[in-house]
Amino acid sequence: MTMCYRELKRPEMIAEAYEKAVKKEPGNEELLSHLFMAYVRCGNYTKQQQTAMALYKVAPKNPYYFWAVMSIVMQAHMSDSKLSCTMYLPLAERMIAKMVKENKLEGEAELKLYIMVLEKSGKRQQALDFVNGLLEASFLGTPGSRWNFYLTKKAELLLRMERYSESNAIYRQLLLDDPDQWQYYQDYFTSMFALVDINWTPDETTQSVSCDYTVELALVFIEQGIAREEAKSSKKLRGPYLACLELLQLLLKRNHSAASRLASPLEQIKQYFTIFGDKNCCFSDISNYLYMLESETDKFLADILTSLGLNGENTEDMLAKEPKIMQRHVCYLAVSRRLGKHCLSHQEKLRLAEELIHRHREGLTLGTDLLTTDLQYSDNYCLLAVHLLYDAWCESGDQLLLWTICALLESALKSSPSNFHIKLLLTKIYSYLGIYGPSVGIKLELRHIQFDTLGYMCFHPALKVGHYSAWKSVLTEALLFFSTNFKDTSEYIISAYKYGSFTKVYEFVQFRQRLNDSLQFALLNVEKNICDLILETSNHQSAEKVLTSMDIDPIIDECKWEDLRDNRDLDVMLTWDPPHSCLTHEQRHLSFTEQKQWLRLRNLTVRALTAAMLLPALPLSHESTTSQAVNGGGTNMCDALLSLHDQLKQHVEELETEHTCERRYSLQGPFCTLIYPFVTGRHGALLLQFLRVVQCCFFLQDDTGKLETSDLQMLTLEIDESMKLVIGRVSEGIIVEGNGQQQFSASTLTQAVLAVETLSHGCLLLGVCDKLLQPLRPVTGRKKSKKKEETVQQAVTSVISITTVKNSFFTRNFAFKSSSIPELSNVNLNLFFYYYEFLPCY
């Protein structure tokens, strides 16, 4: 039964079942433990605490006691800071202190939980005292990793308490034990420079502390670390060499004279390249220090190229004969690009790209024995060539270069089918071309959390070109992950409680909250609603059923705008561009803002459509019910529609003001939204006009004079003009002339997609108009005023006029026979989308 409720996503039913069982057997330890886990699934921390204490009374075991403590900590996490600091955290601290005093702590997790509570309470001194006392005794003589945890935690506390000398001494010792741990170096430098800034010197009480409190002592320590590595005959560690570069960088930023005692940046980076140049991490390691070369850039590159021996006149001598030499040459090319040496003329870029393509193809012979899951040694030659060709396209706009890139990447993917960098680049380039069909065969194979971090690579390209079947498939698969997030993470949290990993409980809860607040999750939800409204509605009745199943409240906006988080991984694609060409923090923030603007546009659209669909029609029984229909529930929905119309209008105007040109980010950056084609195609204006038609039809049920015949006439003319603009943008044609040749126009295709979407919304709204006008048709034996009859007739005429224009759109632009398109208030768009997805351009 528990499994059934869990699959139904009804964890509260599990708790109810065990509550009833515990009432019958209140002393049953197994039932109480199951009840506790049921409350974990529900996230009811108060009930967790009560149940855990009941368990401890039945069976006095440490795990049950600390389940209660952790439940209190989680209550502190979910409450405001004042209540957390005054009630929950002090209570948790007292409960653990009681166990410490009685010497009842048994496990390592319990010790770590006490430290976590003290740190959250801001009691660092007490935490340090505990670390120096019981924690040290518990870890004394244990294996290195556990002992390092004790030392690391102690050093972190001392650094936060600004006791730099003691902290530096511990980090110094940690580096002697583990000289390849980069975080230790960073904290070591932080504490050392803090001591230098305050002119700290040891006194009688601190003479026993072995710390580096001057730059000179730090220089000696780092040089000794490099000397130990140089003396090795086996594999060398990267940490000491990078630490020397980092120290040099910090000293140069401070204009410290001691920088001259270290080897120059040229010598250090050359030394690092000589030792580690054949490793994939070499470029990422030294890229942040290349700017220090300054005027010695050319000498550095020339020396590296000479050491490779690949600059002979014979073509065969230019090719690497071993994978390690090839990797060094790739690193050399990557460094050259980072230093701006690929800022060449158009022809020079093409020649260099051609050379790299040749090296890539010849280099495949060195990887004939590799598995299909391994990356080819020469893959990065191909990727560098693609970046050069992309640069050439950005300058010339020659679409043939993009097709060349696609052909090159498709060929490389056959030789290296597991290279996700090639797959990501292909998806990007196909999207620029306005193509999605081939992207389906690339198979990014996103799994689990990747739907949140990398899902943007799939969602946008499918929507942009109107590949609705693929769009719906990706949306459904991604939403399945998000919908099971709560259930799955609940199981992880339960496991953390069972095995005493209390710090992981907090991490899993934060992880779950981060997914719930994901911008991608919110966007996928609203896009799925729009997708269903487009694809699953063949008439007004089916549209009502679809909206009912969505359970959307048009009055209440359920999106938590302030809590939205950007979980996209925008660093997943390789880039060797100079720093000024890479994706900046400002561009990341701009993209996040743009995504939220697009989400708000879609959110308002769905809610406005829902409000329109929920407008009640006038009953046919008798005239007296008119006031009930208008002044009752219908008024609330009408007010909601008016409010949403105004909000949507204001938002569209803001977008038109802000998005005056199309944005483009770097190749490794995110996609732009469809805001710019949306506002330039006047789709927002047309949608607002359709909403206004629905409002006019609803006001016909009222005799208060809210609607004039001239309003409808004016609205009809406005819709006619908007339709002409939409048709005009789509009629420009998919094939355009550019650079003296015919090119495929992805922007026109996007306009067609937005036109189809807007008109499908218009179909739904015209269906609403039909529903609202049905009761107002003349009925035998009923008398109406002549003025109202004229108004109703004008409304019907206007709706027919709008329908005629929309029929003309489909007939003229998509080669549909007019006889195959019924009245658009009941149009079935599924057939249209079926043919649309298989246009020749795919």
Side-chain angles (χ1 to χ4, degrees), residues 485-516:
N485 162 43
F486 192 91
K487 182 186 73 173
D488 292 342
T489 50
S490 295
E491 298 304 316
Y492 304 149
I493 295 171
I494 287 173
S495 298
Y497 275 109
K498 284 181 179 179
Y499 298 109
S501 302
F502 297 115
T503 55
K504 295 301 177 185
V505 172
Y506 182 71
E507 291 176 14
F508 282 133
V509 170
Q510 283 188 313
F511 174 75
R512 180 169 64 188
Q513 191 59 43
R514 182 164 183 166
L515 285 180
N516 288 337

mmCIF file of all heavy atoms in Angstrom, residues 485-516:
data_model
loop_
_atom_site.group_PDB
_atom_site.id
_atom_site.type_symbol
_atom_site.label_atom_id
_atom_site.label_comp_id
_atom_site.label_asym_id
_atom_site.label_seq_id
_atom_site.Cartn_x
_atom_site.Cartn_y
_atom_site.Cartn_z
ATOM 1 N N ASN A 485 10.930 14.532 -8.952
ATOM 2 C CA ASN A 485 11.996 15.078 -8.110
ATOM 3 C C ASN A 485 11.673 14.923 -6.632
ATOM 4 O O ASN A 485 12.508 14.464 -5.845
ATOM 5 C CB ASN A 485 12.205 16.552 -8.470
ATOM 6 C CG ASN A 485 12.953 17.325 -7.403
ATOM 7 O OD1 ASN A 485 13.932 16.846 -6.855
ATOM 8 N ND2 ASN A 485 12.485 18.522 -7.090
ATOM 9 N N PHE A 486 10.443 15.287 -6.241
ATOM 10 C CA PHE A 486 10.087 15.241 -4.822
ATOM 11 C C PHE A 486 10.112 13.809 -4.312
ATOM 12 O O PHE A 486 10.637 13.522 -3.231
ATOM 13 C CB PHE A 486 8.700 15.850 -4.612
ATOM 14 C CG PHE A 486 8.362 16.106 -3.172
ATOM 15 C CD1 PHE A 486 8.652 17.332 -2.596
ATOM 16 C CD2 PHE A 486 7.775 15.130 -2.386
ATOM 17 C CE1 PHE A 486 8.359 17.577 -1.256
ATOM 18 C CE2 PHE A 486 7.475 15.364 -1.059
ATOM 19 C CZ PHE A 486 7.765 16.595 -0.497
ATOM 20 N N LYS A 487 9.568 12.880 -5.121
ATOM 21 C CA LYS A 487 9.533 11.473 -4.698
ATOM 22 C C LYS A 487 10.943 10.906 -4.579
ATOM 23 O O LYS A 487 11.275 10.239 -3.587
ATOM 24 C CB LYS A 487 8.714 10.664 -5.702
ATOM 25 C CG LYS A 487 8.584 9.191 -5.333
ATOM 26 C CD LYS A 487 7.902 8.408 -6.431
ATOM 27 C CE LYS A 487 8.821 8.221 -7.616
ATOM 28 N NZ LYS A 487 8.261 7.320 -8.642
ATOM 29 N N ASP A 488 11.775 11.158 -5.583
ATOM 30 C CA ASP A 488 13.121 10.583 -5.585
ATOM 31 C C ASP A 488 13.993 11.155 -4.481
ATOM 32 O O ASP A 488 14.694 10.409 -3.781
ATOM 33 C CB ASP A 488 13.781 10.811 -6.943
ATOM 34 C CG ASP A 488 13.112 10.012 -8.051
ATOM 35 O OD1 ASP A 488 12.393 9.061 -7.731
ATOM 36 O OD2 ASP A 488 13.309 10.355 -9.225
ATOM 37 N N THR A 489 13.974 12.474 -4.336
ATOM 38 C CA THR A 489 14.810 13.082 -3.292
ATOM 39 C C THR A 489 14.331 12.674 -1.900
ATOM 40 O O THR A 489 15.150 12.586 -0.975
ATOM 41 C CB THR A 489 14.803 14.620 -3.404
ATOM 42 O OG1 THR A 489 13.454 15.095 -3.503
ATOM 43 C CG2 THR A 489 15.576 15.078 -4.621
ATOM 44 N N SER A 490 13.046 12.404 -1.767
ATOM 45 C CA SER A 490 12.546 11.924 -0.474
ATOM 46 C C SER A 490 13.197 10.599 -0.113
ATOM 47 O O SER A 490 13.543 10.355 1.058
ATOM 48 C CB SER A 490 11.028 11.769 -0.516
ATOM 49 O OG SER A 490 10.390 13.024 -0.685
ATOM 50 N N GLU A 491 13.379 9.731 -1.099
ATOM 51 C CA GLU A 491 14.037 8.452 -0.836
ATOM 52 C C GLU A 491 15.495 8.655 -0.439
ATOM 53 O O GLU A 491 16.022 7.951 0.425
ATOM 54 C CB GLU A 491 13.948 7.558 -2.082
ATOM 55 C CG GLU A 491 12.529 7.203 -2.504
ATOM 56 C CD GLU A 491 11.734 6.542 -1.391
ATOM 57 O OE1 GLU A 491 12.279 5.656 -0.702
ATOM 58 O OE2 GLU A 491 10.566 6.931 -1.193
ATOM 59 N N TYR A 492 16.159 9.626 -1.073
ATOM 60 C CA TYR A 492 17.548 9.915 -0.714
ATOM 61 C C TYR A 492 17.633 10.451 0.721
ATOM 62 O O TYR A 492 18.555 10.095 1.472
ATOM 63 C CB TYR A 492 18.151 10.944 -1.671
ATOM 64 C CG TYR A 492 18.079 10.567 -3.130
ATOM 65 C CD1 TYR A 492 17.964 11.544 -4.122
ATOM 66 C CD2 TYR A 492 18.122 9.231 -3.539
ATOM 67 C CE1 TYR A 492 17.889 11.199 -5.463
ATOM 68 C CE2 TYR A 492 18.045 8.889 -4.884
ATOM 69 C CZ TYR A 492 17.925 9.871 -5.837
ATOM 70 O OH TYR A 492 17.852 9.536 -7.154
ATOM 71 N N ILE A 493 16.680 11.300 1.078
ATOM 72 C CA ILE A 493 16.673 11.866 2.436
ATOM 73 C C ILE A 493 16.428 10.764 3.458
ATOM 74 O O ILE A 493 17.061 10.732 4.527
ATOM 75 C CB ILE A 493 15.601 12.970 2.549
ATOM 76 C CG1 ILE A 493 15.963 14.138 1.634
ATOM 77 C CG2 ILE A 493 15.483 13.458 3.977
ATOM 78 C CD1 ILE A 493 14.864 15.175 1.497
ATOM 79 N N ILE A 494 15.520 9.853 3.128
ATOM 80 C CA ILE A 494 15.247 8.726 4.028
ATOM 81 C C ILE A 494 16.515 7.891 4.233
ATOM 82 O O ILE A 494 16.846 7.500 5.364
ATOM 83 C CB ILE A 494 14.100 7.863 3.460
ATOM 84 C CG1 ILE A 494 12.763 8.599 3.629
ATOM 85 C CG2 ILE A 494 14.042 6.503 4.152
ATOM 86 C CD1 ILE A 494 11.608 7.906 2.943
ATOM 87 N N SER A 495 17.229 7.639 3.145
ATOM 88 C CA SER A 495 18.482 6.877 3.253
ATOM 89 C C SER A 495 19.498 7.619 4.104
ATOM 90 O O SER A 495 20.244 6.994 4.884
ATOM 91 C CB SER A 495 19.056 6.621 1.859
ATOM 92 O OG SER A 495 18.177 5.837 1.081
ATOM 93 N N ALA A 496 19.542 8.944 3.992
ATOM 94 C CA ALA A 496 20.477 9.736 4.801
ATOM 95 C C ALA A 496 20.154 9.611 6.283
ATOM 96 O O ALA A 496 21.061 9.506 7.130
ATOM 97 C CB ALA A 496 20.436 11.198 4.367
ATOM 98 N N TYR A 497 18.856 9.608 6.631
ATOM 99 C CA TYR A 497 18.470 9.400 8.030
ATOM 100 C C TYR A 497 18.839 8.003 8.493
ATOM 101 O O TYR A 497 19.371 7.810 9.597
ATOM 102 C CB TYR A 497 16.961 9.617 8.195
ATOM 103 C CG TYR A 497 16.550 11.052 8.404
ATOM 104 C CD1 TYR A 497 15.886 11.756 7.413
ATOM 105 C CD2 TYR A 497 16.816 11.705 9.607
ATOM 106 C CE1 TYR A 497 15.498 13.077 7.592
ATOM 107 C CE2 TYR A 497 16.429 13.018 9.807
ATOM 108 C CZ TYR A 497 15.774 13.705 8.794
ATOM 109 O OH TYR A 497 15.406 15.011 8.989
ATOM 110 N N LYS A 498 18.575 7.005 7.662
ATOM 111 C CA LYS A 498 18.830 5.614 8.054
ATOM 112 C C LYS A 498 20.296 5.373 8.360
ATOM 113 O O LYS A 498 20.646 4.669 9.312
ATOM 114 C CB LYS A 498 18.377 4.669 6.935
ATOM 115 C CG LYS A 498 16.868 4.479 6.848
ATOM 116 C CD LYS A 498 16.516 3.503 5.733
ATOM 117 C CE LYS A 498 15.016 3.283 5.650
ATOM 118 N NZ LYS A 498 14.645 2.356 4.543
ATOM 119 N N TYR A 499 21.180 5.965 7.522
ATOM 120 C CA TYR A 499 22.614 5.709 7.670
ATOM 121 C C TYR A 499 23.333 6.800 8.455
ATOM 122 O O TYR A 499 24.561 6.802 8.530
ATOM 123 C CB TYR A 499 23.253 5.537 6.297
ATOM 124 C CG TYR A 499 22.690 4.364 5.533
ATOM 125 C CD1 TYR A 499 21.878 4.551 4.435
ATOM 126 C CD2 TYR A 499 22.952 3.059 5.951
ATOM 127 C CE1 TYR A 499 21.334 3.466 3.735
ATOM 128 C CE2 TYR A 499 22.415 1.973 5.260
ATOM 129 C CZ TYR A 499 21.611 2.182 4.158
ATOM 130 O OH TYR A 499 21.082 1.112 3.490
ATOM 131 N N GLY A 500 22.574 7.733 9.019
ATOM 132 C CA GLY A 500 23.174 8.742 9.891
ATOM 133 C C GLY A 500 23.955 9.825 9.183
ATOM 134 O O GLY A 500 24.773 10.506 9.814
ATOM 135 N N SER A 501 23.723 10.015 7.895
ATOM 136 C CA SER A 501 24.432 11.076 7.159
ATOM 137 C C SER A 501 23.612 12.370 7.256
ATOM 138 O O SER A 501 22.979 12.801 6.283
ATOM 139 C CB SER A 501 24.620 10.663 5.690
ATOM 140 O OG SER A 501 25.335 9.460 5.596
ATOM 141 N N PHE A 502 23.643 12.992 8.416
ATOM 142 C CA PHE A 502 22.745 14.111 8.679
ATOM 143 C C PHE A 502 23.074 15.342 7.838
ATOM 144 O O PHE A 502 22.183 16.100 7.467
ATOM 145 C CB PHE A 502 22.792 14.463 10.177
ATOM 146 C CG PHE A 502 22.318 13.352 11.060
ATOM 147 C CD1 PHE A 502 23.183 12.736 11.948
ATOM 148 C CD2 PHE A 502 21.016 12.900 10.993
ATOM 149 C CE1 PHE A 502 22.759 11.692 12.757
ATOM 150 C CE2 PHE A 502 20.572 11.860 11.798
ATOM 151 C CZ PHE A 502 21.454 11.257 12.691
ATOM 152 N N THR A 503 24.350 15.548 7.557
ATOM 153 C CA THR A 503 24.688 16.708 6.729
ATOM 154 C C THR A 503 24.121 16.555 5.323
ATOM 155 O O THR A 503 23.815 17.550 4.655
ATOM 156 C CB THR A 503 26.219 16.868 6.652
ATOM 157 O OG1 THR A 503 26.807 15.644 6.171
ATOM 158 C CG2 THR A 503 26.801 17.207 8.008
ATOM 159 N N LYS A 504 23.974 15.312 4.869
ATOM 160 C CA LYS A 504 23.406 15.074 3.534
ATOM 161 C C LYS A 504 21.913 15.362 3.502
ATOM 162 O O LYS A 504 21.367 15.691 2.452
ATOM 163 C CB LYS A 504 23.664 13.621 3.102
ATOM 164 C CG LYS A 504 25.135 13.282 2.918
ATOM 165 C CD LYS A 504 25.777 14.176 1.864
ATOM 166 C CE LYS A 504 27.249 13.894 1.713
ATOM 167 N NZ LYS A 504 27.900 14.839 0.772
ATOM 168 N N VAL A 505 21.231 15.226 4.634
ATOM 169 C CA VAL A 505 19.809 15.566 4.685
ATOM 170 C C VAL A 505 19.610 17.019 4.274
ATOM 171 O O VAL A 505 18.763 17.343 3.434
ATOM 172 C CB VAL A 505 19.248 15.332 6.108
ATOM 173 C CG1 VAL A 505 17.820 15.868 6.219
ATOM 174 C CG2 VAL A 505 19.291 13.855 6.461
ATOM 175 N N TYR A 506 20.403 17.879 4.863
ATOM 176 C CA TYR A 506 20.322 19.308 4.555
ATOM 177 C C TYR A 506 20.647 19.560 3.081
ATOM 178 O O TYR A 506 19.971 20.343 2.407
ATOM 179 C CB TYR A 506 21.298 20.061 5.456
ATOM 180 C CG TYR A 506 21.283 21.555 5.290
ATOM 181 C CD1 TYR A 506 20.201 22.315 5.727
ATOM 182 C CD2 TYR A 506 22.357 22.221 4.708
ATOM 183 C CE1 TYR A 506 20.189 23.690 5.574
ATOM 184 C CE2 TYR A 506 22.348 23.589 4.550
ATOM 185 C CZ TYR A 506 21.258 24.316 4.990
ATOM 186 O OH TYR A 506 21.248 25.681 4.822
ATOM 187 N N GLU A 507 21.659 18.867 2.556
ATOM 188 C CA GLU A 507 22.055 19.061 1.163
ATOM 189 C C GLU A 507 20.967 18.591 0.199
ATOM 190 O O GLU A 507 20.680 19.240 -0.807
ATOM 191 C CB GLU A 507 23.360 18.314 0.886
ATOM 192 C CG GLU A 507 24.563 18.926 1.587
ATOM 193 C CD GLU A 507 25.829 18.101 1.363
ATOM 194 O OE1 GLU A 507 25.804 17.232 0.465
ATOM 195 O OE2 GLU A 507 26.815 18.329 2.068
ATOM 196 N N PHE A 508 20.352 17.446 0.499
ATOM 197 C CA PHE A 508 19.297 16.933 -0.377
ATOM 198 C C PHE A 508 18.073 17.850 -0.374
ATOM 199 O O PHE A 508 17.431 18.047 -1.414
ATOM 200 C CB PHE A 508 18.885 15.522 0.056
ATOM 201 C CG PHE A 508 19.839 14.449 -0.383
ATOM 202 C CD1 PHE A 508 20.268 13.471 0.499
ATOM 203 C CD2 PHE A 508 20.310 14.414 -1.685
ATOM 204 C CE1 PHE A 508 21.142 12.479 0.098
ATOM 205 C CE2 PHE A 508 21.195 13.428 -2.099
ATOM 206 C CZ PHE A 508 21.607 12.461 -1.202
ATOM 207 N N VAL A 509 17.741 18.394 0.778
ATOM 208 C CA VAL A 509 16.601 19.320 0.846
ATOM 209 C C VAL A 509 16.897 20.579 0.035
ATOM 210 O O VAL A 509 16.025 21.085 -0.687
ATOM 211 C CB VAL A 509 16.279 19.678 2.313
ATOM 212 C CG1 VAL A 509 15.261 20.810 2.385
ATOM 213 C CG2 VAL A 509 15.752 18.451 3.052
ATOM 214 N N GLN A 510 18.115 21.083 0.141
ATOM 215 C CA GLN A 510 18.498 22.243 -0.664
ATOM 216 C C GLN A 510 18.468 21.919 -2.153
ATOM 217 O O GLN A 510 18.030 22.742 -2.972
ATOM 218 C CB GLN A 510 19.900 22.711 -0.267
ATOM 219 C CG GLN A 510 19.952 23.484 1.037
ATOM 220 C CD GLN A 510 21.329 24.077 1.282
ATOM 221 O OE1 GLN A 510 22.342 23.391 1.144
ATOM 222 N NE2 GLN A 510 21.381 25.338 1.641
ATOM 223 N N PHE A 511 18.932 20.726 -2.506
ATOM 224 C CA PHE A 511 18.914 20.295 -3.898
ATOM 225 C C PHE A 511 17.479 20.235 -4.429
ATOM 226 O O PHE A 511 17.184 20.699 -5.536
ATOM 227 C CB PHE A 511 19.576 18.921 -4.001
ATOM 228 C CG PHE A 511 19.485 18.296 -5.362
ATOM 229 C CD1 PHE A 511 20.282 18.736 -6.402
ATOM 230 C CD2 PHE A 511 18.599 17.256 -5.609
ATOM 231 C CE1 PHE A 511 20.194 18.163 -7.667
ATOM 232 C CE2 PHE A 511 18.510 16.673 -6.860
ATOM 233 C CZ PHE A 511 19.315 17.125 -7.890
ATOM 234 N N ARG A 512 16.587 19.678 -3.631
ATOM 235 C CA ARG A 512 15.180 19.591 -4.044
ATOM 236 C C ARG A 512 14.573 20.975 -4.220
ATOM 237 O O ARG A 512 13.850 21.226 -5.183
ATOM 238 C CB ARG A 512 14.381 18.785 -3.007
ATOM 239 C CG ARG A 512 12.913 18.650 -3.350
ATOM 240 C CD ARG A 512 12.240 17.638 -2.443
ATOM 241 N NE ARG A 512 12.245 18.035 -1.058
ATOM 242 C CZ ARG A 512 11.845 17.252 -0.056
ATOM 243 N NH1 ARG A 512 11.452 16.015 -0.310
ATOM 244 N NH2 ARG A 512 11.864 17.680 1.180
ATOM 245 N N GLN A 513 14.890 21.882 -3.307
ATOM 246 C CA GLN A 513 14.347 23.229 -3.404
ATOM 247 C C GLN A 513 14.904 23.951 -4.624
ATOM 248 O O GLN A 513 14.192 24.710 -5.287
ATOM 249 C CB GLN A 513 14.690 24.020 -2.130
ATOM 250 C CG GLN A 513 13.958 25.350 -2.006
ATOM 251 C CD GLN A 513 12.458 25.175 -1.997
ATOM 252 O OE1 GLN A 513 11.923 24.285 -1.338
ATOM 253 N NE2 GLN A 513 11.761 26.028 -2.749
ATOM 254 N N ARG A 514 16.164 23.686 -4.921
ATOM 255 C CA ARG A 514 16.765 24.326 -6.096
ATOM 256 C C ARG A 514 16.088 23.865 -7.381
ATOM 257 O O ARG A 514 15.893 24.654 -8.309
ATOM 258 C CB ARG A 514 18.259 24.003 -6.143
ATOM 259 C CG ARG A 514 18.982 24.660 -7.301
ATOM 260 C CD ARG A 514 20.475 24.639 -7.114
ATOM 261 N NE ARG A 514 21.169 25.338 -8.192
ATOM 262 C CZ ARG A 514 22.427 25.701 -8.173
ATOM 263 N NH1 ARG A 514 23.152 25.448 -7.103
ATOM 264 N NH2 ARG A 514 22.982 26.324 -9.188
ATOM 265 N N LEU A 515 15.730 22.599 -7.444
ATOM 266 C CA LEU A 515 15.011 22.102 -8.617
ATOM 267 C C LEU A 515 13.598 22.668 -8.690
ATOM 268 O O LEU A 515 13.104 23.006 -9.769
ATOM 269 C CB LEU A 515 14.959 20.572 -8.587
ATOM 270 C CG LEU A 515 16.247 19.832 -8.934
ATOM 271 C CD1 LEU A 515 16.029 18.330 -8.855
ATOM 272 C CD2 LEU A 515 16.743 20.206 -10.320
ATOM 273 N N ASN A 516 12.941 22.771 -7.540
ATOM 274 C CA ASN A 516 11.582 23.322 -7.531
ATOM 275 C C ASN A 516 11.561 24.782 -7.961
ATOM 276 O O ASN A 516 10.587 25.247 -8.560
ATOM 277 C CB ASN A 516 10.962 23.190 -6.136
ATOM 278 C CG ASN A 516 10.611 21.756 -5.794
ATOM 279 O OD1 ASN A 516 10.421 20.929 -6.678
ATOM 280 N ND2 ASN A 516 10.550 21.446 -4.514
#
